[in-house]
Amino acid sequence: MQLIPYSTLPLVIIVHALFLQGVWLFLGRRARDRYLSDIMHFRVSSSFMSRYYDWRVTRFVNALIEGIVFLVILLGSIILLSVSLSDFATFVDATLYVLFVMFLSFLSSMQMAWRVKEINERESRIVSGIGISTDKVGLAREMVENLMIQGSMGDGRVWFALYRLAQRPNQVGWAIRDVLIEKGREMREMQQYSMDEREPAVSDKGPGIES
């Protein structure tokens, strides 16, 4: 029994795919925010969302697995929705639209996985550089200071990699963590000093002279 005509099914498929994609991106952003809050305060992942994001960005393969799982869920839900609203023959006729939304979702998944790959590569380069250095703290400080000088133009993926590496219980992690804590303290002191400078000075006019 067809609940909707064939002409409406492609629109339903596209809207459904956009909805699932939006939910996936929303959950990913929430997980990222939780994870960033944890690593920037040098805490172990404190929630399921934070641990999930940590798992995702740990390896490129993990990001690929997440993307594949999402695509399977998307395809399965499209099939169930289409068959429940129409029939299987109508779904087969709308295969072109299904392939279209699946292709777009595949590109989105690969884009996210590629970002994870870039982060992992930066982590590897940082570990290699600091690991062989005799002055690990000095090299970590140089990296952080260069990023601070660049300001908003600095590579956010390098910042992310540094904070992730600061969680590691080894010499590289300890060196990066010490520098990040030190620079964070300096930034807070500078901000406090700037706020104090902006406060209007209260002049002491002394006692008034009454006639």
Side-chain angles (χ1 to χ4, degrees):
M1 177 180 179
Q2 291 191 4
L3 299 180
I4 60 173
Y6 166 74
S7 59
T8 309
L9 184 59
L11 178 61
V12 172
I13 291 174
I14 293 174
V15 171
H16 175 71
L18 290 175
F19 172 75
L20 281 188
Q21 185 83 19
V23 170
W24 182 43
L25 293 175
F26 172 76
L27 292 176
R29 290 193 180 97
R30 288 290 300 273
R32 179 199 61 191
D33 293 343
R34 296 279 182 88
Y35 182 66
L36 284 176
S37 176
D38 285 336
I39 64 174
M40 292 183 71
H41 290 86
F42 307 104
R43 297 191 302 256
V44 178
S45 297
S46 59
S47 64
F48 171 78
M49 297 290 283
S50 180
R51 289 192 294 271
Y52 148 70
Y53 198 81
D54 180 39
W55 173 83
R56 176 207 273 188
V57 298
T58 297
R59 292 194 306 162
F60 174 65
V61 174
N62 292 352
L64 284 178
I65 292 173
E66 181 198 25
I68 292 171
V69 170
F70 172 74
L71 291 175
V72 171
I73 293 174
L74 176 61
L75 180 59
S77 63
I78 288 176
I79 294 174
L80 290 176
L81 181 65
S82 301
V83 173
S84 62
L85 294 179
S86 183
D87 53 43
F88 189 75
T90 306
F91 165 74
V92 172
D93 292 337
T95 301
L96 183 62
Y97 298 96
V98 176
L99 292 177
F100 173 71
V101 297
M102 292 298 296
F103 176 71
L104 293 181
S105 298
F106 171 78
L107 290 181
S108 178
S109 301
M110 290 303 100
Q111 184 181 24
M112 291 185 180
W114 190 259
R115 290 174 183 169
V116 171
K117 183 175 183 294
E118 291 179 336
I119 291 172
N120 294 159
E121 290 175 349
R122 281 164 173 77
E123 289 179 357
S124 298
R125 287 199 292 268
I126 293 172
V127 170
S128 299
I130 297 179
I132 62 176
S133 175
T134 55
D135 184 10
K136 293 178 173 56
V137 174
L139 183 55
R141 182 179 291 109
E142 181 181 348
M143 289 182 179
V144 173
E145 288 177 348
N146 287 337
L147 286 171
M148 293 175 67
I149 291 172
Q150 295 172 25
S152 59
M153 300 298 292
D155 192 341
R157 288 165 295 189
V158 178
W159 277 116
F160 186 76
L162 286 171
Y163 273 100
R164 270 181 52 81
L165 292 174
Q167 305 296 106
R168 296 188 179 183
N170 54 32
Q171 291 185 345
V172 173
W174 296 328
I176 296 173
R177 180 170 181 162
D178 288 345
V179 172
L180 290 174
I181 292 175
E182 173 191 331
K183 293 301 177 182
R185 187 183 303 114
E186 291 179 2
M187 290 296 296
R188 287 192 296 271
E189 291 175 353
M190 291 175 61
Q191 290 174 357
Q192 184 62 43
Y193 178 77
S194 299
M195 291 175 61
D196 293 341
E197 286 292 310
R198 291 194 188 98
E199 291 181 359
V202 179
S203 58
D204 185 5
K205 297 181 180 180
I209 301 176
E210 298 180 358
S211 56

